[in-house]
Amino acid sequence: MGSLFRSEPMCLAQLFLQSGTAYECLSALGEKGLVQFRDLNQNVSSFQRKFVGEVKRCEELERILVYLVQEITRANIPLPEGEVSPPAPPPKQVLEMQEQLQKLEVELREVTKNKEKLRKNLLELIEYTHMLRVTKTFVKRNVEFEPTYEEFPSLENDSLLDYSSMQRLGAKLGYHCHIYPYPNTVEERKEIQEGLNTRIQDLYTVLHKTEDYLRQVLCKAAESVYSRVIQVKKMKAIYHMLNMCSFDVTNKCLIAEVWCPEADLRDLRRALEEGSRESGATILSFMNTIPTKETPPTLIRTNRFTEGFQNIVDAYGVGSYREVNPALFTIITFPFLFAVMFGDLGHGFVMFLFALLLVINENRPGLNQSQEILRMFFNGRYILLLMGLFSVYTGLIYNDCFSKSLNIFGSRWNVSAMYSSSHTQQEHEKLVLWNDSVVRHSRVLQLDPAIPGVFRGPYPFGIDPIWNLATNRLTFLNSFKMKMSVILGIIHMTFGVTLGIFNHLHFRKKFNIFLVSIPELLFMLCIFGYLIFMIVYKWLVFSAENSREAPSILIEFINMFIFPASGTSGLYPGQEHVQKVLLVVTALSVPVLFLGKPLFLLWLHNGRSCFGVSRSGYTLVRKDSEEEVSLLGNQDIEEGNNQMEDGCREMMCEEFNFGEILMTQVIHSIEYCLGCISNTASYLRLWALSLAHAQLSDVLWAMLMRVGLRVDTTYGVLLLLPVIALFAVLTIFILLIMEGLSAFLHAIRLHWVEFQNKFYVGAGTKFVPFSFSLFSSKFSDGDNVA
């Protein structure tokens, strides 16, 4: 949980690699995937680096392997893909591998060339045979018969140097066609045909033997092509990393700088020791950590379950180093907010079953390698699983299953209590009761909860099923869902502001708690938190007996700001005084939010002639931050590190810019104050999409299932089957896929804009380790290691 709540602590390490062991050490690091290399040769072009020759050799091997894969695929020979990744080849075996592959390439090209030549000769002989057979019927030549026509234009009358006549003759003789000698007699034709048949049979035999030999060579090559492709990828990646290292003055040791999680330092040392032992070196490679002020990359370890939720957060922006990670809370809040908009027991259960099927079969390789759409569902299988499960829960709250209600516990409304026969004469005079005449002649019958015995208490769980029959059902649900959306939204945003306090504590900015976070919380709670209080208070205090006397929350909330001349009854005694105190606190929090932080930093800056001193570690999380410059001296003096040259101190003092800090804080404060209003209204999408989903589900049921169920029994069974099939198809494509995608996008919006911007910066860089596991194990043309 600690790693998911906040990114892991990183350190900058320096690796000292002996020239003879560097390759084996990096191979061991690539297998474990522990470190991210820094390029120490940024000013050197890729063609001038030390190991450019080795990289070109790997590219040549890749070219040969791509050619082999193409030939193997063309021959319809299956390409084996092993589950175990072979290690990178030792440098001593690279030349042997290159020689074998080049020899195999030459042999394949020669055999393929001969095969094509044989096939071309065979086709020419077959063409010659067909020409003799076709022309036998209309061309008859013998010694006695000579043609009386001129087959070709005579050249006797034309000059041999006449270009037009030569061009005309060439066009008639052989322009894009094959010319074969034609026999003059029947016996000669038979002799030629027999010779052609013999040569064709011989060519067939030779061609079959050539193809068999070629297939044998390709089958033998296919057995090892997978391991060689992986080995060449790893080898090329190692040399790429070696090109990012620098040599010491003796050119006998390579120096590399890497980012490594502090928890993996022990494994890093072990990997260097393993690489040194494999190379047989007497001097081991080693590492040590070095202090730095640069911002480390962000590493948050995930598993199959948390990876999808972390991807949602990273799509907004990779978290800054060591700031609070929203993904931990997104695991619960994201599927819950989705379910509030998608709440339906039936639809949620179908989605849950689909996701559960993907989870159960997650180890099948075919699902992860399927088409893009199915692969997208597979990668988000755990998100779908929780979204379906939470939708089942909210569907039970709404008591909505395919637009129908479930009477699980029995309704708490008693219809028989409305009849006059069950009440006394005095109650007849005071209450509006039913009788047989009222029931027969009234189009709408209203249940009065104020009548004793009609309303027997709240439903044990969720909405009472009797509301599914009420004509004012939509009015009741709209009021409930709208207030619920406001309550959930304010709680969600307040929680986001609270998480910002953990960031301020971690980065040692306690002044931000008093000058930013607390004023933000007061502004939020004094206005919108009070709105939640009024909603809950009205729910708890007013009942069916005095519901007609309950004031409107909207009117009371508006009157809080406009101070009406005529007093109102209010929700509770002393409401006016409480609201005035809340408004005063809100008004006081605004100038503190606007000016408190800039003035404090200015006072801190002017309080010391120069407070910039050297720091150890990497406390500077955000580069070029004026706030960090102001706090630098205070923190370092507490740490006892006060060693900095005067020039550096003067430079840091000059970087402080009060105007920039003031403008940044003013923009942030305006955005927050206005955002509290707009973001609260934005959470009303929970109510709107829930209403839209319920209405679409009700329309689909009314247009299909209700029509199919109302047909008489004679044709009803035959009609019901296609109706159910059509209902299922439309439910899946419209209500599950389209409505589900809409709710999914809106839930993402609520997390990115309304929740995460209260505490999440998302300006970090992702930790990308040097790991062989990131390479694709699939065959593709032009597979290269970046």
Side-chain angles (χ1 to χ4, degrees):
M1 177 178 174
S3 176
L4 194 61
F5 178 73
R6 203 184 293 279
S7 62
E8 292 202 4
M10 308 286 291
C11 66
L12 184 63
Q14 203 168 39
L15 308 183
F16 294 89
L17 310 172
Q18 301 300 322
S19 299
T21 65
Y23 181 90
E24 288 78 5
C25 290
L26 263 67
S27 177
L29 291 176
E31 296 292 345
K32 295 181 180 295
L34 300 175
V35 297
Q36 175 180 334
F37 281 80
R38 297 179 62 195
D39 192 358
L40 302 181
N41 303 312
Q42 294 182 358
N43 298 327
V44 181
S45 65
S46 58
F47 300 102
Q48 297 176 343
R49 302 199 178 191
K50 180 69 175 179
F51 299 94
V52 65
E54 286 78 1
V55 173
K56 290 182 178 179
R57 179 184 301 165
C58 295
E59 291 176 349
E60 175 65 17
L61 294 177
E62 281 184 336
R63 183 193 62 79
I64 297 175
L65 289 171
V66 168
Y67 169 73
L68 292 179
V69 171
Q70 290 176 346
E71 293 298 321
I72 293 171
T73 306
R74 188 180 302 170
N76 295 325
I77 299 175
L79 287 167
E81 297 181 2
E83 296 180 358
V84 179
S85 177
K92 299 178 181 178
Q93 297 181 3
V94 174
L95 293 177
E96 181 181 355
M97 179 191 296
Q98 184 179 12
E99 183 180 354
Q100 292 176 355
L101 290 176
Q102 288 176 346
K103 182 178 179 181
L104 181 60
E105 181 193 17
V106 172
E107 183 179 7
L108 281 178
R109 291 189 182 276
E110 185 177 354
V111 174
T112 304
K113 183 178 179 181
N114 293 335
K115 174 188 169 183
E116 296 298 328
K117 187 176 181 180
L118 289 173
R119 181 171 295 176
K120 181 180 179 182
N121 293 338
L122 178 62
L123 292 177
E124 289 180 353
L125 294 179
I126 294 175
E127 185 180 23
Y128 195 4
T129 304
H130 283 284
M131 188 270 293
L132 293 176
R133 187 181 68 250
V134 172
T135 58
K136 179 180 178 181
T137 59
F138 60 90
V139 177
K140 296 180 181 180
R141 291 188 175 183
N142 49 43
V143 179
E144 293 80 11
F145 176 78
E146 292 293 338
T148 59
Y149 59 89
E150 186 179 18
E151 296 187 42
F152 302 107
S154 175
L155 299 179
E156 296 179 355
N157 299 327
D158 295 332
S159 173
L160 292 176
L161 299 178
D162 189 355
Y163 176 76
S164 60
S165 62
M166 295 298 294
Q167 187 181 30
R168 188 166 61 255
L169 177 61
K172 288 183 173 293
L173 286 179
Y175 185 68
H176 290 298
C177 65
H178 294 150
I179 301 176
Y180 299 101
Y182 196 83
N184 294 323
T185 62
V186 177
E187 291 78 8
E188 188 178 352
R189 181 187 294 109
K190 290 181 180 180
E191 182 180 355
I192 292 177
Q193 286 181 342
E194 291 175 358
L196 289 175
N197 292 334
T198 303
R199 292 179 61 187
I200 288 174
Q201 293 298 327
D202 294 339
L203 283 177
Y204 269 123
T205 303
V206 176
L207 186 60
H208 285 317
K209 290 183 179 180
T210 304
E211 290 178 347
D212 292 340
Y213 175 74
L214 180 61
R215 188 170 185 85
Q216 292 177 3
V217 174
L218 291 176
C219 288
K220 186 177 180 180
E223 295 175 359
S224 60
V225 69
Y226 170 79
S227 60
R228 289 181 173 177
V229 167
I230 300 300
Q231 286 180 327
V232 171
K233 283 184 178 182
K234 291 183 177 181
M235 184 169 55
K236 184 179 178 182
I238 291 173
Y239 286 121
H240 269 297
M241 294 301 107
L242 289 175
N243 277 332
M244 299 173 69
C245 304
S246 62
F247 280 88
D248 65 344
V249 292
T250 62
N251 285 336
K252 295 181 180 180
C253 179
L254 279 82
I255 301 175
E257 290 185 2
V258 296
W259 291 110
C260 179
E262 293 181 358
D264 294 337
L265 287 177
R266 181 177 300 177
D267 295 334
L268 174 58
R269 291 189 177 94
R270 290 178 181 173
L272 294 178
E273 293 175 359
E274 291 176 5
S276 300
R277 283 196 300 267
E278 289 180 4
S279 63
T282 57
I283 302 177
L284 300 180
S285 299
F286 62 96
M287 54 81 62
N288 64 339
T289 58
I290 56 177
T292 180
K293 295 180 181 179
E294 294 189 19
T295 304
T298 301
L299 170 62
I300 299 176
R301 302 186 194 271
T302 58
N303 51 33
R304 292 180 178 180
F305 178 76
T306 60
E307 183 180 6
F309 297 97
Q310 187 64 53
N311 289 336
I312 292 177
V313 175
D314 290 345
Y316 174 83
V318 177
S320 300
Y321 178 66
R322 299 291 288 163
E323 74 171 336
V324 173
N325 180 28
L328 176 63
F329 315 101
T330 302
I331 295 175
I332 299 300
T333 58
F334 182 84
F336 178 72
L337 292 183
F338 170 87
V340 171
M341 296 179 279
F342 193 76
D344 189 284
L345 175 61
H347 300 155
F349 187 68
V350 173
M351 181 180 292
F352 175 79
L353 289 181
F354 173 71
L356 184 63
L357 185 64
L358 294 178
V359 171
I360 294 175
N361 298 281
E362 64 181 0
N363 293 325
R364 294 181 59 182
L367 288 176
N368 198 22
Q369 303 168 10
S370 55
Q371 296 180 353
E372 183 178 359
I373 295 180
L374 184 58
R375 187 169 62 251
M376 179 178 61
F377 283 118
F378 177 78
N379 293 335
R381 59 194 179 278
Y382 288 102
I383 301 177
L384 291 174
L385 186 73
L386 288 187
M387 290 194 307
L389 187 62
F390 276 77
S391 296
V392 171
Y393 171 75
T394 54
L396 290 173
I397 294 291
Y398 298 158
N399 202 349
D400 208 353
C401 180
F402 297 113
S403 79
K404 299 289 110 178
S405 297
L406 302 178
N407 192 5
I408 301 176
F409 305 103
S411 177
R412 291 300 183 264
W413 291 78
N414 185 12
V415 178
S416 61
M418 288 295 300
Y419 280 85
S420 57
S421 58
S422 59
H423 297 276
T424 62
Q425 186 64 32
Q426 294 178 351
E427 292 177 340
H428 287 188
E429 298 175 356
K430 297 180 180 179
L431 305 175
V432 179
L433 302 176
W434 296 354
N435 52 39
D436 293 340
S437 177
V438 172
V439 173
R440 289 193 184 97
H441 297 90
S442 298
R443 295 190 59 186
V444 178
L445 297 174
Q446 182 174 357
L447 294 175
D448 189 356
I451 297 177
V454 174
F455 182 66
R456 297 175 295 181
Y459 195 67
F461 188 81
I463 303 295
D464 197 296
I466 200 172
W467 284 103
N468 196 45
L469 305 174
T471 57
N472 61 338
R473 171 176 178 266
L474 192 59
T475 303
F476 167 74
L477 291 179
N478 278 343
S479 176
F480 165 73
K481 293 181 179 180
M482 180 176 62
K483 295 174 182 176
M484 176 195 65
S485 301
V486 172
I487 293 174
L488 292 178
I490 295 173
I491 293 175
H492 199 210
M493 291 188 294
T494 304
F495 180 61
V497 177
T498 306
L499 289 178
I501 297 178
F502 292 92
N503 280 334
H504 302 325
L505 289 174
H506 176 77
F507 295 127
R508 299 179 182 179
K509 302 176 184 176
K510 295 182 180 180
F511 72 96
N512 272 343
I513 300 176
F514 301 101
L515 300 178
V516 178
S517 296
I518 291 180
E520 288 178 349
L521 285 174
L522 290 176
F523 184 88
M524 174 76 72
L525 296 178
C526 289
I527 298 178
F528 300 100
Y530 180 68
L531 177 61
I532 295 180
F533 167 77
M534 289 195 294
I535 294 174
V536 177
Y537 183 85
K538 184 177 179 181
W539 281 346
L540 297 177
V541 173
F542 293 92
S543 60
E545 289 78 9
N546 58 353
S547 60
R548 298 183 183 277
E549 302 173 0
S552 170
I553 293 179
L554 180 61
I555 299 300
E556 294 297 326
F557 190 65
I558 294 175
N559 290 338
M560 176 180 176
F561 299 95
I562 63 176
F563 302 107
S566 59
T568 58
S569 58
L571 285 172
Y572 56 91
Q575 175 182 345
E576 183 178 355
H577 301 291
V578 172
Q579 293 180 167
K580 288 181 179 179
V581 172
L582 293 177
L583 287 178
V584 170
V585 173
T586 303
L588 292 177
S589 64
V590 172
V592 175
L593 186 61
F594 273 71
L595 302 175
K597 178 178 174 180
L599 293 178
F600 173 79
L601 294 178
L602 180 62
W603 170 81
L604 194 65
H605 174 74
N606 294 331
R608 298 177 179 88
S609 59
C610 191
F611 49 83
V613 288
S614 63
R615 302 172 58 108
S616 62
Y618 33 76
T619 309
L620 282 179
V621 175
R622 297 172 180 83
K623 287 186 178 181
D624 302 328
S625 172
E626 302 292 345
E627 175 185 332
E628 291 287 352
V629 173
S630 299
L631 295 177
L632 191 59
N634 186 31
Q635 294 178 5
D636 289 332
I637 289 174
E638 293 176 358
E639 296 173 359
N641 299 326
N642 50 3
Q643 303 172 355
M644 176 172 275
E645 298 180 358
D646 293 338
C648 296
R649 187 180 297 117
E650 292 175 1
M651 179 189 67
M652 298 186 71
C653 291
E654 292 176 357
E655 290 180 356
F656 180 78
N657 189 337
F658 175 75
E660 183 178 348
I661 296 176
L662 179 62
M663 284 300 294
T664 301
Q665 185 62 25
V666 168
I667 292 174
H668 168 76
S669 302
I670 293 176
E671 181 183 4
Y672 176 81
C673 294
L674 296 180
C676 286
I677 303 173
S678 62
N679 293 347
T680 303
S682 180
Y683 277 93
L684 292 177
R685 70 184 69 237
L686 299 173
W687 157 50
L689 266 76
S690 175
L691 173 65
H693 185 83
Q695 291 301 304
L696 280 175
S697 181
D698 187 50
V699 168
L700 191 62
W701 180 277
M703 295 182 63
L704 290 177
M705 292 301 296
R706 186 179 299 174
V707 174
L709 293 173
R710 285 183 175 179
V711 179
D712 57 6
T713 56
T714 305
Y715 304 101
V717 177
L718 298 177
L719 181 62
L720 194 58
L721 293 178
V723 167
I724 293 177
L726 182 60
F727 177 78
V729 171
L730 293 179
T731 298
I732 292 174
F733 283 96
I734 296 179
L735 296 179
L736 286 178
I737 297 180
M738 294 180 60
E739 279 289 303
L741 180 60
S742 175
F744 182 87
L745 295 176
H746 282 283
I748 289 180
R749 146 75 196 233
L750 290 176
H751 279 78
W752 284 356
V753 179
E754 278 72 27
F755 174 60
Q756 291 181 188
N757 70 351
K758 300 295 186 297
F759 66 98
Y760 186 64
V761 178
T765 56
K766 195 171 185 178
F767 177 75
V768 183
F770 170 57
S771 176
F772 294 149
S773 62
L774 301 178
F775 299 157
S776 175
S777 61
K778 302 301 170 189
F779 292 105
S780 61
D781 295 343
D783 256 348
N784 292 319
V785 178

